[in-house]
Amino acid sequence: MTETRLRFPPSPTGYLHIGGARTALYNWLYAKKTGGKLILRIEDTDAERSTDESITGIIEGLEWLGIDYDEGPYFQTDFTSDHKAGAQKLLDEKKAYKCFCTKEELDAKRETALANKQQLGYDGTCRNLTDEQVAEKEAAGLPYVVRFKTPKKDEILQYDDKILGPIRVHYKEIDDFVIVRSNGMPLYLLCNVVDDIRDRITHIIRGQDHMTNTTRQILLYEALGAPLPVFAHMPLTLDAKKAKISKRSHGEIVAVQFYRDHGFIPWAFNNFLVLLGWSPGNDQEIFSKEELIEAFSLEKINKSSSVFNFKKDDPKFFTDPKAISINEHYLRTMKIEELAEMVKAEFIQEGLWKDEYENERKAWFLDTLNLIRDRFHTLKDFATMGRAYFADDFEVDEKPLKKNVLKFEELKTWLPMLADRYEALEDFNIETAEETARVLADELEIKPGVLINSMRTIVTGQLAGPSMFDILVTIGRDKVVERLRKINEFYPA
């Protein structure tokens, strides 16, 4: 059997965005499923817009997602001679021709076609120039582009799309399209085909917005004497208003790096991405890498567009609820050792990391992560909502401060009293910490919740979390006592 070969060919004109990442993921999954290979090819022929920063961002985005490639990265500009040779072959075989029409002439033709309600497209003025006429125009120094000579047939061009089914386009709908600019540089349509032929690509999985290109590229494959690859056009990813996701319109919130930098777990994000347009045929939404490779198929990709929701004005739930939900699942269920490695990277970035968390306090570090992760949404939460467990410079949420502390002036006396009793305990553990708090509440003739809730606010800065007495023992007696005695700092002078 022929080896399955796929490619992911991003243009380095910006960051790796959601749509591009999903395309890369689908190609990667199919390559893994079929035992094939994935080629990374940077299509950098747009010199004005391509940047080294974008190339780096694309590669870093793929690495973060764990989408590895078997060959590349190749750069399209390194193969310009191949593209020019392909164009020359078509010229030599009279399957392409030189077009000397000026921009003004083309604009006039377009206006006439519009006025007469005719089909837009090049009318073939230069299609039948003789060799002598071409030579004469070249000798006069007239600029020209190279156009592909679309076969004049009263027939239907048809191909079988692995997602959309049979696609039919009449040859009359395809004009003589440009394949080489007037500066001598081949265009994307030709470069892409020449590269795919050279790289022996067998399957092309890409967005439905490329379908107009596909019919033209099929003609180029046939003209160059190459077998057609299998085409599969994925539905587009839209925003909540059903507009196409784009870098220009939506900004960094649709960039893969945005989710990396906001604490998403790489495989959790892949798990979310794959569901933007694909379904296993049942209710399963959580997949291990092995399960997803086994379940994936082109036939199960949806024909309709998917919707990616995000909210720029919500700092906590700023993105698609399903993305948050899937990330929460992985964060709360993954092996604690794996989570610890990811949290370590966050802590290093935030200046919270201590080497003792890998040595003498490793067990405490793992136990603490396990205690607090059930209410967290992203890795960032360990350094923000969970900061009080690892540092003294944590923020106290204003809502619980008003609700649980500031409305009780007497806490300025009560919490230091509790601190004194905790300090005097011979053994400070979950049971003795709880008993001491409840006894003091009885003596003060108040509900235990007044002390417990105010302690949670002062000790952790949060409104909710694990059992308060688990928290106290985890943070440790010395820090708990110190924080309870600072209660006065939270009241107006």
Side-chain angles (χ1 to χ4, degrees), residues 3-22:
E3 178 184 58
T4 303
R5 292 175 63 83
L6 300 100
R7 85 292 198 272
F8 176 55
S11 298
T13 55
Y15 45 73
L16 178 63
H17 69 94
I18 297 298
R22 188 187 65 150

Side-chain angles (χ1 to χ4, degrees), residues 357-375:
Y357 296 157
E358 285 185 322
N359 300 308
E360 63 267 25
R361 298 196 74 195
K362 180 176 181 179
W364 175 86
F365 182 64
L366 296 179
D367 288 345
T368 302
L369 297 184
N370 198 40
L371 174 69
I372 63 179
R373 63 175 168 172
D374 280 352
R375 289 181 178 269

Side-chain angles (χ1 to χ4, degrees), residues 343-355 357 380 383 387 390-393:
V343 173
K344 176 183 176 180
E346 290 291 332
F347 277 16
I348 290 174
Q349 184 176 332
E350 296 295 327
L352 290 175
W353 179 251
K354 299 176 183 179
D355 289 340
Y357 296 157
K380 288 292 180 186
R387 191 179 183 92
F390 309 98
D392 292 323
D393 59 335

Side-chain angles (χ1 to χ4, degrees), residues 51-116:
T51 66
D52 290 341
E53 181 182 5
S54 294
I55 293 171
T56 299
I58 288 168
I59 293 174
E60 287 181 350
L62 293 175
E63 288 177 349
W64 178 72
L65 289 169
I67 297 177
D68 56 325
Y69 39 92
D70 302 285
E71 295 180 22
Y74 299 140
F75 293 87
Q76 197 165 59
T77 49
D78 291 339
F79 300 97
T80 300
S81 59
D82 290 354
H83 310 144
K84 290 183 175 180
Q88 190 59 51
K89 174 181 171 63
L90 295 175
L91 282 170
D92 292 343
E93 296 178 0
K94 304 298 183 183
K95 296 174 181 176
Y97 60 92
K98 297 174 181 179
C99 173
F100 297 89
C101 294
T102 65
K103 180 180 184 301
E104 291 73 21
E105 290 171 334
L106 293 173
D107 288 343
K109 293 174 188 291
R110 178 180 174 83
E111 291 299 323
T112 300
L114 286 171
N116 296 325

Side-chain angles (χ1 to χ4, degrees), residues 19 22 60 128 185 347-348 383 422 428 438 443:
R22 188 187 65 150
E60 287 181 350
N128 297 312
M185 294 303 296
F347 277 16
I348 290 174
Y422 279 159
F428 183 73
R438 293 188 182 280
E443 292 176 8

Side-chain angles (χ1 to χ4, degrees), residues 412-426 428 436 440 455 477-478 480-486:
K412 291 192 289 185
T413 300
W414 295 344
L415 290 188
M417 289 174 60
L418 184 56
D420 291 342
R421 296 193 182 192
Y422 279 159
E423 191 173 48
L425 285 174
E426 181 176 341
F428 183 73
T436 301
L440 178 58
M455 270 199 295
R477 171 167 29 192
D478 291 346
V480 168
V481 167
E482 180 184 347
R483 292 174 186 179
L484 293 180
R485 285 174 174 163
K486 290 182 177 180

Side-chain angles (χ1 to χ4, degrees), residues 385-408:
M385 293 163 56
R387 191 179 183 92
Y389 294 84
F390 309 98
D392 292 323
D393 59 335
F394 59 93
E395 292 186 6
V396 176
D397 193 337
E398 187 175 341
K399 183 178 179 180
L401 184 64
K402 290 180 178 179
K403 177 181 179 181
N404 299 327
V405 178
L406 297 183
K407 74 175 184 179
F408 298 105

